[in-house]
Amino acid sequence: MTLGATPEIQPDQQSRLWTAHVPDYEAVFEPLTNVFADHALRALALPPGGRCLDVAAGSGGAALMAARSGSEVVAIDASPGMVRRIRARAGSLPISAAVMDAARLALPDARFDAALSVFGVILCPDAGAALGEMARTVAPGGRVALVTWTEPQNYALITRLLAAVAAVRGPSPPPPGVPAQLRFADAVAFRALLASAGLGEIAVTRVEAALEAPGAAWLGARLGFAPGIAALLAAQGGAREAVLTRFVSDLERDQGTGPVRLRAVAFLGTGRVLRGTETGSPRAP
């Protein structure tokens, strides 16, 4: 295993599970990820007509933003359901989407002017290999942007959900191991991941945003928008509905019955590809 590899595959790392969550993910979570994607795209500063790769693209938020800004985009994801959704949303925009393993991209070396991944590569079982593949497909001098979670104590969606679980069921021991999406929550670890791909001019910036929803009840009805959260809710067994009710009531107590905002913090990491690779042929799928 290379840097960032996980010994056990967690629910959010299983591509086959994501198809069932596409509609809720797009409705609930994509607006939040788009805030971070906007920061990433501005950091890449692609010129009109620039070629951009979006890895682990989810339901296509960042790819759509890049294409609407004039970039030619290739969006890849390991979930067939996510790729179908990207294609359906692309319309006449210059976006092509394909099902692909991020750690083994079937794409030529130095094909793109830039690449990004917003909370995608960080979920790959071997994040180091996936980032290395991103760098391989970017031409020398091009930039790579990666977004990862940090400050989990300030990720209000999960802290509130865990508080609701504790209120209903009592305190529980911490889960074994580190959630895949928090492997690079420390700036030193994140910089090491970026450096492992041979990137230069590495910069890490803290970005704060908020998940916004029409109301607490609306959010509670769609809270299982990702496999990991769905698994956490399923683990509550017969207490699941009580946990959701507590989550909603606590949020309404604090923010009312109208629109709600839940804080989230991430790192944006960028780096420049310093040199080419040895071959110009695509990898096998």
Side-chain angles (χ1 to χ4, degrees):
M1 293 189 295
T2 60
L3 183 66
T6 50
E8 296 183 4
I9 305 301
Q10 301 170 15
D12 281 347
Q13 296 178 289
Q14 299 180 46
S15 57
R16 62 182 178 81
L17 299 179
W18 278 97
T19 294
H21 301 275
V22 173
D24 284 344
Y25 178 88
E26 182 179 332
V28 176
F29 210 59
E30 185 183 278
L32 172 62
T33 66
N34 280 354
V35 177
F36 298 109
D38 179 62
H39 284 269
L41 288 168
R42 284 192 279 119
L44 292 176
L46 273 163
R51 298 166 298 177
C52 182
L53 173 66
D54 185 3
V55 178
S59 49
L64 290 164
M65 293 168 67
R68 287 168 182 153
S69 297
S71 297
E72 173 191 326
V73 183
V74 173
I76 70 101
D77 199 279
S79 164
M82 289 293 189
V83 170
R84 285 194 295 270
R85 184 57 184 150
I86 296 170
R87 290 171 177 166
R89 299 173 75 189
S92 61
L93 290 169
I95 298 174
S96 60
V99 178
M100 212 174 289
D101 178 0
R104 192 170 177 80
L105 296 176
L107 296 167
D109 296 348
R111 166 68 176 81
F112 300 96
D113 300 302
L116 79 160
S117 183
V118 181
F119 305 119
V121 157
I122 63 159
L123 282 174
C124 291
D126 194 337
L131 181 57
E133 281 289 89
M134 285 178 67
R136 177 184 66 79
T137 65
V138 173
R143 300 191 69 83
V144 173
L146 201 64
V147 179
T148 191
W149 295 113
T150 190
E151 300 179 27
Q153 72 278 12
N154 290 321
Y155 184 18
L157 177 75
I158 295 300
T159 59
R160 282 185 170 271
L161 178 55
L162 293 178
V165 171
V168 172
R169 305 192 67 188
S172 57
V178 177
Q181 48 268 79
L182 295 179
R183 289 174 289 173
F184 310 106
D186 176 78
V188 173
F190 192 39
R191 282 182 176 275
L193 175 66
L194 294 164
S196 75
L199 300 175
E201 301 178 23
I202 292 170
V204 174
T205 306
R206 180 184 182 274
V207 181
E208 186 168 334
L211 186 152
E212 301 183 0
W218 181 93
L219 180 58
R222 297 162 178 81
L223 202 54
F225 60 81
I229 295 181
L232 174 60
L233 292 172
Q236 307 314 310
R240 180 182 187 277
E241 291 307 314
V243 167
L244 287 172
T245 298
R246 182 60 183 258
F247 173 86
V248 171
S249 64
D250 285 353
L251 193 49
E252 288 182 340
R253 177 198 66 207
D254 296 337
Q255 298 194 23
T257 57
V260 296
R261 289 171 53 88
L262 297 173
R263 183 186 185 196
V265 184
F267 280 142
L268 165 63
T270 59
R272 190 177 298 279
V273 176
L274 299 179
R275 58 185 179 276
T277 53
E278 294 180 357
T279 119
S281 60
R283 299 282 181 91

